[in-house]
Amino acid sequence: MDGAMRAEPTIPRTKPFDNCKSRTDLSCGTDVAAEEQVPAGSTTERRSFGEAALSIDVEDWFHAANLNIAREAWDRCELRVERNTMRLVEILGGCNVRATFFVLGWVAEKCPQLVRAIAAAGHEVASHGYNHELVYSLNPADFRTDVIRSKKYLEDLTGRRVRGYRAPSFSITEWAVPILQDAGFDYDSSVVPTIAHHRYGRLKGMDAGRPVVLLREGFYEVCISCIRLGRHGIPWGGGGYFRLAPYLLWLWGVRRILQSGTPYIFYIHPWEIDPGQPRVTGIKATHAFRHRVNLEKCEQRFASLVGAHEWMPLCDLVDGWSAGLEAPAASRVNTVAAAIPLSIGSDGRQVRAST
């Protein structure tokens, strides 16, 4: 792999955040590319059928499992996560949307100012583990060390309790759940209740029709959305699936889920809006395709999707679900947010802290 990486052309490093304002401004509800435009009114009018929760897995391009880049090579790779993540923050801010950012501990260590900026913008900061290792590849003791290290570091940076966890590549396993709760997490969001995927982990009793599940007293599982096929389903929550499917088809699926009365849970990675990231050779053609398909369209699609619905961070979804609130999605966001105390962010602004 190192040899393959050295064969790639050198890509100039750019300063953090330097392209946040240089790209075409994508305001809330911007139409997607001409070949997949949505009919008038479909994306500019924000619709609310049910609850929709939005999440970002904050990792860089070289952390992606499909590229299979060794841990010892990470420090030699171009760091692009700051500007890509801040672009997502900018899009969310333009729509007045709060989301959950599952931050990799390794990224937080390299880019502490990025974590502080996410928190200062009013978003939930949650854990994506520290070293991006598949959970089932670790023993329980090493997993505990990894998640506690990540949780403590993020809490030290933000001054807020970290409540949520998402496993790298959704690699959750049964024995990890009590460890997460014991470490002080309130919820996990690592299950994709689909038919099959060679990296995804599994938890017993998951059903595509039940996206929020109480696993243990005081601890929830928030599943990535699928279009239901029996107890399993077709992944419809983001990632490569979001980039591959035509946008109109994707929007139809989201609305089908919301109209069924179940919450919709979406995720994206910052590197998915970055078609200029380095290319890696020497990997399987299927892995290369899954990593790069439609990267050039993803930013516009994401901006359109953000503008199409009301959204909330996962912590608000869990709080509303556990409280049994029956208010509409927009009211639920406001009701839960109003109960969260204000704190002073690193930039001196008042922001709502995660409870």
Side-chain angles (χ1 to χ4, degrees):
M1 176 57 66
D2 286 350
M5 291 182 63
R6 283 195 295 271
E8 293 299 313
T10 301
I11 297 180
R13 292 179 180 271
T14 52
K15 295 179 181 179
F17 314 161
D18 66 353
N19 69 342
C20 285
K21 296 182 180 180
S22 64
R23 301 189 193 186
T24 301
D25 181 34
L26 294 174
S27 58
C28 184
T30 300
D31 285 344
V32 292
E35 67 270 18
E36 54 178 1
Q37 278 192 355
V38 178
S42 294
T43 58
T44 56
E45 178 186 356
R46 304 183 79 185
R47 303 189 179 186
S48 180
F49 304 120
E51 302 148 316
L54 197 152
S55 60
I56 293 93
D57 292 358
V58 183
E59 59 188 59
D60 218 331
W61 61 275
F62 49 85
H63 296 125
N66 281 322
L67 300 187
N68 195 31
I69 296 176
R71 171 67 174 80
E72 55 269 20
W74 290 357
D75 285 331
R76 302 197 300 273
C77 295
E78 181 187 7
L79 199 66
R80 302 172 70 91
V81 67
E82 286 185 285
R83 63 173 177 267
N84 292 330
T85 303
M86 288 308 297
R87 180 56 183 153
L88 295 177
V89 171
E90 182 183 17
I91 292 170
L92 296 174
C95 297
N96 196 27
V97 166
R98 294 169 59 232
T100 296
F101 286 71
F102 290 97
V103 183
L104 190 67
W106 187 93
V107 169
E109 186 176 89
K110 297 289 183 181
C111 312
Q113 72 279 12
L114 174 62
V115 180
R116 295 189 185 103
I118 292 168
H123 301 290
E124 178 189 15
V125 173
S127 172
H128 197 34
Y130 204 92
N131 284 315
H132 209 260
E133 296 178 281
L134 300 177
V135 174
Y136 45 69
S137 73
L138 301 172
N139 61 51
D142 288 341
F143 173 71
R144 181 186 297 272
T145 298
D146 181 270
V147 296
I148 290 178
R149 182 184 180 189
S150 168
K151 189 175 192 291
K152 184 179 186 305
Y153 196 78
L154 293 172
E155 289 175 341
D156 287 346
L157 285 175
T158 64
R160 307 176 191 179
R161 187 166 75 88
V162 169
R163 302 178 58 193
Y165 171 80
R166 177 169 290 159
S169 299
F170 304 107
S171 57
I172 194 65
T173 189
E174 293 285 349
W175 55 256
V177 172
I179 294 175
L180 289 171
Q181 187 175 29
D182 185 61
F185 292 96
D186 293 339
Y187 71 88
D188 172 70
S189 182
S190 306
V191 169
V192 184
T194 187
I195 298 170
H197 190 289
H198 69 287
R199 291 196 195 100
Y200 293 172
R202 292 285 185 271
L203 293 180
K204 296 176 182 177
M206 295 296 102
D207 188 317
R210 297 170 58 229
V212 183
V213 180
L214 181 64
L215 294 180
R216 299 159 63 90
E217 185 176 355
F219 190 87
Y220 287 82
E221 179 63 38
V222 183
C223 300
I224 301 299
S225 286
C226 292
I227 291 181
R228 191 172 185 180
L229 290 175
R231 293 188 59 190
H232 302 290
I234 302 171
W236 215 263
Y241 309 102
F242 176 59
R243 290 181 279 119
L244 180 61
Y247 179 74
L248 283 175
L249 177 62
W250 190 269
L251 199 62
W252 169 85
V254 173
R255 289 174 177 166
R256 175 178 170 179
I257 292 169
L258 290 172
Q259 288 174 329
S260 74
T262 58
Y264 177 69
I265 295 93
F266 179 83
Y267 76 98
I268 193 172
H269 303 91
W271 55 261
E272 292 187 271
I273 64 166
D274 182 13
Q277 65 187 264
R279 291 181 178 269
V280 176
T281 59
I283 60 176
K284 292 181 178 180
T286 53
H287 289 180
F289 174 79
R290 284 158 59 179
H291 183 82
R292 297 200 65 93
V293 61
N294 287 334
L295 292 179
E296 70 282 357
K297 297 180 179 180
C298 191
E299 181 177 330
Q300 289 182 313
R301 289 182 176 185
F302 177 71
S304 295
L305 186 66
V306 169
H309 300 286
E310 299 286 347
W311 299 91
M312 64 179 77
L314 269 64
C315 61
D316 285 9
L317 178 64
V318 169
D319 288 344
W321 196 266
S322 62
L325 298 178
E326 296 181 356
S331 300
R332 186 172 300 186
V333 174
N334 295 334
T335 300
V336 176
I340 302 174
L342 289 171
S343 62
I344 303 299
S346 59
D347 61 352
R349 295 186 302 162
Q350 284 191 323
V351 294
R352 294 195 183 277
S354 299
T355 57

